[in-house]
Amino acid sequence: MNRIYDLHCHSTASDGSLSPTELVSRAHEMGVNVLALTDHDVTSGLEEAEKTATDLGMGFVPGIEISVTWSKSRQTVHIVGLHVDRRSETLQQGLKKLREFRNWRAEEIGRRLAKKGIEGAYDGACEFAGGEIISRTHFARFLIEQGYAKDMRDCFKHYLVKNKPGHVPGDWASLEAAVGWITGSGGQAVIAHPARYKMTATRLRNLIGEFKEVGGTGFEVVSGTHSKEEIGYMGRLAQQFELQASCGSDFHSPSNVYLELGRLPPLPEVCVPIWDDERWSGIN
Ligand code: AMP
Ligand code: MN
Ligand code: MN
Ligand code: MN
């Protein structure tokens, strides 16, 4: 029987709206056999999620999604880590610095929105944050609640991206550092949702080249945010660059009815799955 893998999702430890237990239970109901929790820049949801998965007899992979600032143009890209060891000092020190930047950035977003007449955004966003990190998603929830935007998409478009009032440029980890923290803790590093960056083919190849040079081995060919065409293209890239293929919904909340846990198309046949690896022997 085909097993269902979902190797990218978020809980209230970062910008998801379900607690780790609620998230794992929902994945179980959706028939997921192996789940990785990959919160942004924090591992605090992993313990609870792992315990719930064990109680339910479901496979669980400790994960992370690290924010990276890449190349001269300082573009933000996300690197997922699978099978990371949360006891790694280097990993935890690195993540702590990213969270410190997040806190400063959140205050700065609040100040910038206040200049445009939107008062109380920082405190409002904090109300939505359930864990140690504060994300643009929490600002978006506040802005929607206050009637400034009708939905998430609209809110990012008008307030939280480049050239909009609440935008603050990222100053995240380097690609080398992020991949190093993951592999140094025994994990596999994966380029998250590659089609989302809207890079030219040349630029994406440069990213993959640098990623491989610093020890990256995985590529998220199937993402809940990729189209069928994008999956085909990313599958061919994974094959060409000999990267192991991963798949994950990037689920954040049941309120996004288009994106559910465990509802993903299969990996293209040309791909080598990331779970064909000894780290996964106890799980598959
Ligand atoms: P941050 O890491 O705080 O900059 O926030 C990035 C998060 O915002 C991503 O992980 C997504 O969950 C969310 N996000 C980014 N762009 C959009 C968008 N256009 N629509 C909805 N959510 C978005
Ligand atoms: Mn997110
Ligand atoms: Mn991401
Ligand atoms: Mn994500």
Side-chain angles (χ1 to χ4, degrees):
M1 203 193 82
N2 267 343
R3 291 169 62 75
I4 299 180
Y5 292 79
D6 191 332
L7 306 177
H8 185 155
C9 62
H10 299 273
S11 75
T12 46
S14 65
D15 61 347
S17 66
L18 300 181
S19 71
T21 295
E22 290 166 340
L23 180 82
V24 172
S25 305
R26 187 180 183 96
H28 187 251
E29 279 166 27
M30 295 297 160
V32 172
N33 302 107
V34 180
L35 183 77
L37 174 61
T38 56
D39 275 310
H40 298 285
D41 307 324
V42 75
T43 59
S44 58
L46 294 178
E47 196 176 337
E48 181 186 321
E50 185 155 37
K51 188 179 176 305
T52 309
T54 306
D55 290 348
L56 293 169
M58 202 172 100
F60 182 77
V61 174
I64 186 77
E65 182 174 17
I66 301 182
S67 312
V68 163
T69 298
W70 179 65
S71 84
K72 267 194 197 141
S73 66
R74 302 189 61 73
Q75 182 170 6
T76 298
V77 300
H78 287 170
I79 302 297
V80 156
L82 299 174
H83 289 288
V84 292
D85 182 351
R86 60 180 173 274
R87 292 163 305 184
S88 159
E89 283 273 327
T90 316
L91 172 69
Q92 291 304 343
Q93 273 172 19
L95 298 180
K96 189 160 169 266
K97 279 197 74 178
L98 295 183
R99 294 196 294 271
E100 283 164 8
F101 172 69
R102 274 188 180 283
N103 286 336
W104 173 83
R105 181 190 69 158
E107 289 170 14
E108 183 63 20
I109 293 174
R111 287 190 286 271
R112 290 189 191 193
L113 289 174
K115 275 189 201 153
K116 297 285 169 185
I118 302 175
E119 296 292 340
Y122 175 73
D123 289 341
C126 286
E127 291 279 313
F128 283 98
E132 292 171 53
I133 76 137
I134 175 144
S135 154
R136 282 185 292 164
T137 309
H138 302 124
F139 279 91
R141 289 192 189 133
F142 167 78
L143 291 166
I144 294 164
E145 179 202 61
Q146 296 292 309
Y148 288 104
K150 65 176 195 307
D151 56 28
M152 278 278 165
R153 226 183 114 163
D154 188 48
C155 192
F156 272 84
K157 196 170 138 197
H158 295 294
Y159 295 98
L160 299 171
V161 295
K162 208 168 169 181
N163 301 322
K164 298 297 165 179
H167 181 256
V168 179
D171 186 17
W172 307 112
S174 69
L175 183 63
E176 183 173 15
V179 172
W181 302 337
I182 292 165
T183 56
S185 84
Q188 296 165 290
V190 181
I191 297 179
H193 42 62
R196 280 248 288 277
Y197 310 125
K198 306 289 174 212
M199 289 180 187
T200 61
T202 308
R203 191 166 163 79
L204 185 53
R205 283 163 183 273
N206 287 342
L207 172 65
I208 296 172
E210 283 186 33
F211 172 73
K212 284 192 70 169
E213 255 171 49
V214 295
T217 50
F219 202 57
E220 203 172 74
V221 170
V222 172
S223 163
T225 65
H226 285 175
S227 69
K228 213 172 135 194
E229 292 70 31
E230 287 167 340
I231 291 171
Y233 173 43
M234 297 305 161
R236 289 190 295 279
L237 277 177
Q239 181 192 27
Q240 265 179 30
F241 283 89
E242 297 181 335
L243 290 165
Q244 299 164 312
S246 187
C247 63
S249 60
D250 206 2
F251 177 89
H252 282 72
S253 166
S255 69
N256 181 352
V257 294
Y258 303 106
L259 211 158
E260 187 50 84
L261 287 158
R263 297 283 176 274
L264 293 165
L267 290 177
E269 287 198 354
V270 295
C271 289
V272 177
I274 194 153
W275 51 87
D276 282 2
D277 180 285
E278 61 193 21
R279 291 178 187 82
W280 298 71
S281 56
I283 295 170
N284 293 333

